[in-house]
Amino acid sequence: MNLAATTGNGAREAQAARSYGLRTRPDGLVELEFSHTVTMGETSSVGFVYFSKLIDWQGQYRELFGIERIRNYMETLGGDTTMVTHSCSCQYFNEIWFADRVLVRITVPWVRMQFAQGVFEYYRATETGEVLAAKGEQVWMSARRQGNVFSPGPWPQEFLDATRELGADTSRALVA
């Protein structure tokens, strides 16, 4: 499966995937940081980012994490193995505007049974520093698909290795 071709925006995503950084936080988790520049299509006529775009960015940057860190697993998705979003949320603290540079930081604190938690923090980069604009969360589920029915599935070793490198607690993960 060609990941860039399936998303329809391969050049932009390939560039974004090459521009992530890693940083260890004081709590021991390693965060992936992606830089995002807000375009007009992501804003209202007034110029601020639609709140729903931040949920969209969660999916986009989760996929970029996958392309960079768990590529083999990502290429198997869509068959009988899949990773679905079990839940997502986002809290909004400050507006994000057209042409803002936003730092999207992802951590993966834990993998338990067939679930994994992804935490997203959105910082608006300014000349004087960073402003926390929003914080979100997704819970992902490893699943096996039989027709239109999904059942819990184990995580492949590649996924567990990548999340351990990010500091995730994988001690209770369902292993393939």
Side-chain angles (χ1 to χ4, degrees):
M1 168 163 63
N2 180 340
L3 291 172
T6 62
T7 59
N9 201 0
R12 179 176 172 211
E13 290 177 3
Q15 174 59 38
R18 286 191 299 273
S19 65
Y20 81 94
L22 296 170
R23 181 171 57 188
T24 302
R25 299 175 357 163
D27 63 6
L29 291 175
V30 175
E31 59 189 12
L32 286 90
E33 178 180 88
F34 295 91
S35 180
H36 182 91
T37 301
V38 177
T39 63
M40 287 292 269
E42 297 172 315
T43 66
S44 70
S45 59
V46 178
F48 59 84
V49 171
Y50 290 112
F51 69 91
S52 62
K53 275 297 181 188
L54 280 77
I55 298 289
D56 185 44
W57 293 348
Q58 285 182 13
Q60 178 182 347
Y61 288 104
R62 177 194 64 211
E63 289 177 14
L64 289 174
F65 155 70
I67 290 167
E68 286 296 316
R69 310 293 291 193
I70 53 173
R71 188 169 197 72
N72 292 330
Y73 174 58
M74 294 296 286
E75 289 180 351
T76 67
L77 298 179
D80 64 344
T81 301
T82 192
M83 179 170 61
V84 297
T85 302
H86 180 262
S87 63
C88 67
S89 64
C90 196
Q91 295 176 299
Y92 307 94
F93 307 117
N94 289 288
E95 296 288 352
I96 300 172
W97 298 86
F98 168 69
D100 277 349
R101 185 169 148 254
V102 179
L103 304 174
V104 181
R105 296 183 178 141
I106 305 170
T107 56
V108 181
W110 53 259
V111 181
R112 297 183 187 139
M113 300 302 291
Q114 72 270 21
F115 299 106
Q117 180 190 41
V119 175
F120 299 79
E121 294 178 332
Y122 307 86
Y123 291 87
R124 188 167 35 89
T126 68
E127 291 180 11
T128 58
E130 300 172 356
V131 176
L132 180 63
K135 186 174 182 177
E137 174 184 306
Q138 286 188 349
V139 174
W140 311 316
M141 185 176 95
S142 179
R144 299 279 186 217
R145 179 187 355 224
Q146 295 175 321
N148 290 330
V149 178
F150 295 93
S151 59
W155 293 104
Q157 194 62 50
E158 181 186 29
F159 180 86
L160 296 173
D161 291 345
T163 56
R164 270 192 216 106
E165 289 174 7
L166 299 178
D169 174 6
T170 62
S171 62
R172 294 174 47 203
L174 184 59
V175 180

